[in-house]
Amino acid sequence: MVEIKTDNELDAMREAGRVVARALQAVRKHAAVGVRLTELDEVAASVIAEAGARPAFLHYHPAFAPTPFPAMICASVNDAIVHGIPDRYRLREGDLLSVDCGAHLDGWAADAAVSLTVGTARPADLALIEATERALAAGIAAALPGNRIGDIGHAIGELARQAGYGTPPDFGGHGIGRRMHEDPSVPNHGRPGRGMVLRHGMVLAIEPMFVAGGDGRYRTAADGWRLHSISGERAAHAEHTVAVTDEGPRILTLP
């Protein structure tokens, strides 16, 4: 069932979104050669705690995972697409890092992700990140009342196809509200004019994941969480929590 939020509830979700945005900003600022992924997790934890919020990822246990998630953020490096558990890995020159973060504040959730490079960036990585961010913008632009879920997926998927990138077939965006994952599913591919009709008050986490080389297939790491590209090519992830409103898409996870 899809929950329609009131305007006051959207305002409350906006405050949760600010917390997530600040956590991601802090992680981006701290990410550098030699920094451990666990240190980035601690940075996000501090921001979330100082805001009086609680982490949305810590102890989250979806059906596909063998164990609850043990950290505040997902930190996925290079060929890891999503769901990387922060460990003692030290960031290296030229790494591509994707960071996903979620928080609950006053009963409402928000979820966002960014990708960045460490040290001197590879031009191909910058192009991959830029295309993923453009796809996020295209998906957000399609989140209009009267449009359908397929319009969002089509906007993202077409950009991936044109740029020659792959998208993981089984993972995409989702509804969000009182819980981090709610209906509806928001795939990163679709047919325009198909799927659920969008209405004012729906809130969606829109999150393209692009893999270089055009192959979106993945394998799951031994921890049951981290997804790696089958091809070994690098991946990028971008996400915002977005409200569908009569005035146009409202991004709730901006600073």
Side-chain angles (χ1 to χ4, degrees), residues 41 56 155 164 196 250:
D41 198 57
M196 181 179 293
R250 181 183 180 190

Side-chain angles (χ1 to χ4, degrees), residues 84-165:
I85 296 174
D87 56 19
R88 294 182 61 78
Y89 175 85
R90 290 187 184 275
L91 292 170
R92 301 171 183 172
E93 184 76 21
D95 276 347
L96 193 167
L97 171 67
S98 297
V99 182
D100 196 352
C101 183
H104 293 277
L105 182 67
D106 297 331
W108 296 99
D111 185 9
V114 297
S115 292
L116 56 102
T117 56
V118 179
T120 302
R122 301 182 183 187
D125 289 346
L126 295 177
L128 175 62
I129 292 170
E130 191 269 339
T132 309
E133 291 174 346
R134 280 194 289 118
L136 174 58
I140 292 171
L144 298 169
N147 276 2
R148 293 177 179 266
I149 290 290
D151 294 311
I152 296 175
H154 178 75
I156 293 170
E158 274 298 290
L159 199 151
R161 184 186 64 79
Q162 292 169 11
Y165 297 126

